[in-house]
């Protein structure tokens, strides 16, 4: 393919990471390699938006736990929750700083569940059939939460509401929308995108986009 | 078949409405296209960042060596405002195509033909109408065209001329937000009743092509099925979030 | 299945879906032939539809084509530095017509 053609005058809809209210240095420091800052919240979709009525909704933890658990919507809302302000990076190259969520820490969900010593991976599964895989080490210790509010409002269906997993330290496809459960396993099992060319771990600071990155 | 990216020269820019602009792209090696097909357009910044969008071909295949595209400016969009604000004749743009073999109509396919457009969704249907006229076809054809207001009707004069030619082409307009005094066309969003009225004179065996914002195409396709059109006679081209 | 179709037709993010021809360029580049008029059979409900009539979700890491009758995944396409990866598990068959 010879020289790359450059379109005269085109820069794209990208925020300048070097200026802005926070100061350029901080914004640059918080922007992972190959990412562009945005203040939008783009909708990523792989299928139609599920509409599970809240009275039929539940969140469950199953697999290598001594006793599987399942919360109704009311029970889930009664769990201890907190506010989270985190930077989110999507593999489609946008990074949004300081996104404000409210949700329940994965630590809280797993508390007292008595994990089998062999437990090493969590497979998040969602309404609509989406799955994504994460080592337990990537979602414990306040690294992940199940969010039900964004920016002070109930999480919109197109953004994964009523509840989605959020794993800020990984590309956003790991933050499963419409999450309904975590299956705890001894062995890893690539999810919807991990099984087709996307990186198994997806650490945005190491720019782990594709399988071999 | 070659689908490689090629460089097109912008040879003319023309305003269709206050928010819609047409661009003529000179393509010396253009192999020709079929009405309803589109091109992919790729914009690349100096640092390698690039984006791609699809644009339907507005011109008829009888015109050789160049194609017209017609672009609605979507506020906040990445590509359409760039095309409106930055691109001038003499610029070069990277394109590939022609693309598509399903959402196409040519006179040889027959009719009667029902075309339904919302806003810039009229673009590929215009290629069909222009082709129909240039090919001397008398296949009965009707266009139902939804626009927001009178100043936002794309290709208005040309559509008037095509409808006045007396060769079996008719246009019904609906204006959804604003109607001029004395307006006799429809004045609401496209619905099943409107489609039934427009389709009625065409008789049996209609081929329908619906194009525009996804929400409009969704409504039209569902209504046409309820009106009894076989699903394989309904072809759709959803443009995505085009803001209507 | 009824639920899934209702989801597809009544979706707050419906505006983000397009038709199969939107990926016609990508598919033509990958397969070397025009693909939007190519028929394929859904492995879930066995409906045959052409690629151009499938529903496309392309605002994400990859492209997902879904069956217009049952909304299940028929094709998934990801462009990686190595090339275009296509998962056709959801298709019972896909006809690549002679170019
Ligand atoms: C086959 C085909 C043919 C087409 N032909 C034409 C044509 O002839 N003429 C024409 O004008 N258009 C046509 N389109 C539409 C065109 O491809 C572009 O989608 C359109 O120009 C908008 O692009 P943009 O870059 O300006 O806007 P974008 O940057 O894509 O944004 C468009 C709007 O959607 C919103 N948006 C974008 N991404 C997301 C997201 N992830 N989540 C939520 N909101 C989002 C934006 O905020 C904005 O309001 C066609 C589309 C297809 C698929
Ligand atoms: Zn199916």
């Amino acid at each position: 393919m010879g020289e790359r053609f450059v379109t005269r005058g085109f820069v794209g809809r990208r925020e300048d990471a070097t200026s802005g209210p926070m100061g350029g240095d901080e914004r640059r420091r918080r922007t992972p390699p190959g990412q562009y800052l945005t203040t939008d919240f783009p909708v990523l979709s792989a299928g139609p938006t599920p509409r599970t009525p809240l009275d039929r909704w539940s969140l469950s933890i199953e697999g290598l736990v001594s006793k599987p658990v399942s919360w109704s919507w009311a029970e889930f809302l009664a769990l201890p929750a907190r506010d989270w302000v985190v930077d989110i990076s999507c593999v489609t190259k946008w990074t949004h700083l300081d996104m404000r969520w409210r949700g329940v820490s994965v630590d809280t969900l797993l508390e007292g569940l008595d994990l089998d010593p062999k437990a090493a991976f969590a497979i998040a599964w969602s309404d609509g059939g989406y799955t994504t895989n994460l080592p337990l080490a990537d979602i414990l210790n306040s690294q992940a939460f199940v969010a039900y509010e964004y920016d002070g409002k109930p999480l919109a269906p197109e953004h994964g509401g009523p509840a989605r997993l959020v794993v800020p330290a990984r590309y956003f496809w790991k933050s499963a929308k419409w999450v309904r459960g975590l299956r705890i396993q001894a062995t890893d099992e690539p999810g919807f995108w991990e099984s087709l060319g996307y990186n198994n771990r997806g650490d945005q600071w190491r720019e782990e986009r594709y399988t071999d990155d | 078949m070659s689908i490689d990216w090629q460089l097109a020269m912008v040879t003319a820019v023309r305003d269709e409405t206050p928010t819609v602009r047409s661009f003529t792209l000179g393509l010396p090696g253009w192999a020709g296209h079929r009405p309803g097909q589109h091109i992919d357009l790729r914009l690349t910044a100096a640092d390698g960042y690039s984006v791609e969008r699809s644009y339907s071909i507005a011109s008829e295949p009888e015109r050789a060596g160049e194609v017209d595209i017609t672009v609605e400016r979507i506020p906040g969009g990445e590509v359409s405002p760039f095309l409106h604000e930055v691109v001038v004749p003499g610029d070069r743009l990277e394109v590939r195509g022609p693309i598509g073999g399903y959402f196409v109509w040519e006179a040889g396919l027959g009719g009667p033909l029902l075309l339904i457009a919302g806003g810039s969704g009229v673009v590929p249907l215009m290629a069909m109408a222009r082709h129909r006229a240039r090919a001397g076809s008398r296949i009965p054809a009707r266009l139902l065209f939804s626009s927001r207001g009178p100043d936002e009707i794309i290709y208005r004069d040309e559509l008037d001329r095509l409808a006045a030619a007396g060769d079996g082409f008719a246009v019904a307009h609906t204006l959804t937000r604003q109607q001029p005094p004395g307006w006799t066309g429809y004045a609401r969003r496209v619905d099943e009743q409107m489609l039934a009225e427009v389709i009625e004179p065409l008789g049996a065996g209609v081929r329908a092509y619906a194009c525009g914002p996804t929400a409009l195409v969704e409504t039209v396709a569902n209504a046409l099925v309820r009106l009894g059109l076989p699903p394989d006679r309904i072809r759709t081209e959803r443009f995505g979030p085009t803001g209507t | 299945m009824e639920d899934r179709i209702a989801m597809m037709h009544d979706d707050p993010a419906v505006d983000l879906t397009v038709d199969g021809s939107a990926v016609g360029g990508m598919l033509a580049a990958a397969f070397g032939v025009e693909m939007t008029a190519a028929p394929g059979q859904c492995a879930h409900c066995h409906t045959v539809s052409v690629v151009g009539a499938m529903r496309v979700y392309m605002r994400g890491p990859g492209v997902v084509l879904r069956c217009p009758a049952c909304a299940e995944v028929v094709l998934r396409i990801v462009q990686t530095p190595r090339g275009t990866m296509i998962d056709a598990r959801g298709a019972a068959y896909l006809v690549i017509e002679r170019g």
Side-chain angles (χ1 to χ4, degrees):
Chain A
M1 274 294 307
E3 283 271 289
R4 185 174 59 215
F5 174 77
V6 174
T7 314
R8 183 189 67 82
F10 180 69
V11 288
R13 177 183 47 201
R14 296 178 281 167
E15 306 242 326
D16 183 359
T18 61
S19 65
M22 251 176 261
D25 282 350
E26 182 179 355
R27 285 158 66 88
R28 216 168 354 195
R29 186 176 57 72
R30 288 166 63 183
T31 308
Q35 296 291 110
Y36 307 102
L37 291 183
T38 182
T39 51
D40 291 341
F41 190 174
V43 175
L44 301 172
S45 66
T49 305
R51 296 287 191 84
T52 304
L54 289 179
D55 59 11
R56 280 200 275 149
W57 184 94
S58 63
L59 181 71
S60 55
I61 311 282
E62 62 215 353
L64 296 179
V65 289
S66 56
K67 203 163 138 267
V69 60
S70 171
W71 295 276
S72 69
W73 179 247
E75 289 164 344
F76 171 66
L77 291 187
L79 293 172
R82 51 163 272 212
D83 293 329
W84 307 74
V85 180
V86 294
D87 298 348
I88 295 291
S89 288
C90 178
V91 75
T92 59
K93 300 210 165 167
W94 56 264
T95 290
H96 188 144
L97 303 180
D98 291 329
M99 293 184 96
R100 311 178 63 84
W101 311 81
R102 185 166 183 80
V104 179
S105 172
V106 169
D107 300 325
T108 307
L109 297 175
L110 295 180
E111 215 170 81
L113 282 193
D114 210 4
L115 293 189
D116 186 293
K118 290 200 292 288
F121 299 93
I123 312 300
W125 60 272
S126 302
D127 274 329
Y130 187 79
T131 57
T132 186
N133 55 314
L134 291 142
L136 280 175
D138 285 7
I139 56 172
L140 298 176
N141 302 315
S142 302
Q143 293 182 96
F145 54 94
V146 175
Y148 55 85
E149 275 179 26
Y150 171 69
D151 212 13
K153 291 189 256 334
L155 186 60
E158 62 270 31
H159 288 305
R164 84 181 289 168
L165 182 67
V166 180
V167 191
R170 297 291 176 260
Y171 284 122
F172 208 34
W173 86 75
K174 295 278 188 186
S175 294
K177 289 161 76 165
W178 313 303
V179 71
R180 290 291 304 278
L182 298 178
R183 204 165 52 241
I184 311 298
Q185 304 189 164
T187 51
D188 201 4
E189 187 184 321
F192 190 85
W193 290 122
E194 293 86 354
S195 62
L196 194 71
Y198 279 96
N199 193 273
N200 204 46
R201 182 165 59 181
D203 180 342
Q204 65 264 32
W205 287 103
R206 299 170 187 243
E207 213 174 347
E208 293 170 334
R209 298 178 194 275
Y210 302 104
T211 307
D212 301 321
D213 288 348
Chain B
M1 193 187 98
S2 158
I3 190 71
D4 292 336
W5 293 98
Q6 50 181 308
L7 282 179
M9 170 75 81
V10 178
T11 55
V13 175
R14 189 172 57 258
D15 282 335
E16 304 284 358
T17 76
T19 56
V20 176
R21 182 172 274 197
S22 289
F23 301 83
T24 300
L25 307 178
L27 288 155
W30 191 242
H33 64 272
R34 303 168 70 196
Q37 287 185 308
H38 68 271
I39 56 165
D40 285 348
L41 174 83
R42 177 165 74 184
L43 306 179
T44 307
D47 63 358
Y49 175 82
S50 84
V51 290
E52 293 171 22
R53 296 287 186 272
S54 298
Y55 291 100
S56 300
I57 299 170
S59 47
E60 67 280 21
E62 286 76 8
R63 243 172 80 192
E66 61 181 25
V67 301
D68 281 354
I69 59 169
T70 298
V71 179
E72 177 182 359
R73 187 184 187 289
I74 306 296
E78 186 156 33
V79 171
S80 59
F82 170 83
L83 294 173
H84 275 244
E85 285 153 26
V86 180
V87 171
V88 294
D91 278 337
R92 290 178 310 158
L93 294 171
E94 231 177 345
V95 302
R96 70 177 175 194
I99 296 161
Y102 171 65
F103 193 82
V104 296
W105 181 82
E106 41 216 350
L109 265 177
L113 185 61
L114 174 66
L115 308 174
I116 304 120
S120 54
V122 73
V123 175
L125 308 184
M126 195 62 180
M128 297 174 190
R130 285 168 167 163
H131 155 70
R132 180 187 167 283
R134 279 285 286 271
S137 162
R138 305 188 72 86
I139 291 167
R142 311 199 81 198
L143 167 66
L144 173 59
F145 188 6
S146 175
S147 308
R148 279 169 291 215
D151 301 332
E152 293 178 72
I153 302 175
I154 304 169
Y155 312 134
R156 185 175 191 170
D157 295 343
E158 189 179 350
L159 285 172
D160 287 349
R161 282 198 301 278
L162 288 173
D167 67 355
F169 184 79
V171 182
H173 289 283
T174 184
L175 297 180
T176 55
R177 293 211 189 147
Q178 189 209 335
Q179 301 83 28
W183 175 249
T184 55
Y186 292 110
R188 60 181 200 270
R189 286 171 177 272
V190 175
D191 56 27
E192 193 171 328
Q193 176 61 33
M194 194 186 294
L195 285 164
E197 288 166 21
V198 173
I199 207 170
E200 201 268 328
L202 288 173
V206 169
R207 288 173 186 278
Y209 292 79
C211 183
T214 295
L216 171 128
V217 174
E218 203 70 43
T219 307
V220 168
N222 293 338
L224 289 175
V225 170
R226 283 197 301 271
L227 288 171
L229 254 71
D232 63 350
R233 290 241 157 182
I234 307 167
R235 302 202 170 178
T236 53
E237 187 78 281
R238 293 168 174 84
F239 272 6
T242 61
T244 301
Chain C
M1 195 164 110
E2 299 281 290
D3 274 7
R4 286 185 158 275
I5 297 166
M7 269 152 52
M8 195 161 68
H9 292 306
D10 182 24
D11 186 338
V14 68
D15 271 0
L16 299 179
T17 69
V18 288
D19 293 284
S21 60
V23 288
M26 182 193 286
L27 291 173
F31 286 91
V33 291
E34 202 297 302
M35 287 295 294
T36 66
Q41 188 186 41
C42 171
H44 308 274
C45 76
H46 310 298
T47 300
V48 177
S49 46
V50 299
V51 169
M54 292 179 191
R55 294 308 197 80
V56 172
Y57 295 82
M58 56 192 304
R59 310 254 176 176
V63 172
V64 180
L65 278 80
R66 288 180 180 264
C67 170
C70 77
E72 284 287 354
V73 177
V74 179
L75 292 174
R76 298 189 295 151
I77 309 165
V78 169
Q79 309 230 279
T80 77
R82 271 175 66 194
T84 304
M85 290 182 73
I86 299 175
D87 170 355
R89 269 177 289 184
Y93 65 77
L94 194 64
V95 183
I96 300 174
E97 285 163 331
R98 280 192 188 88

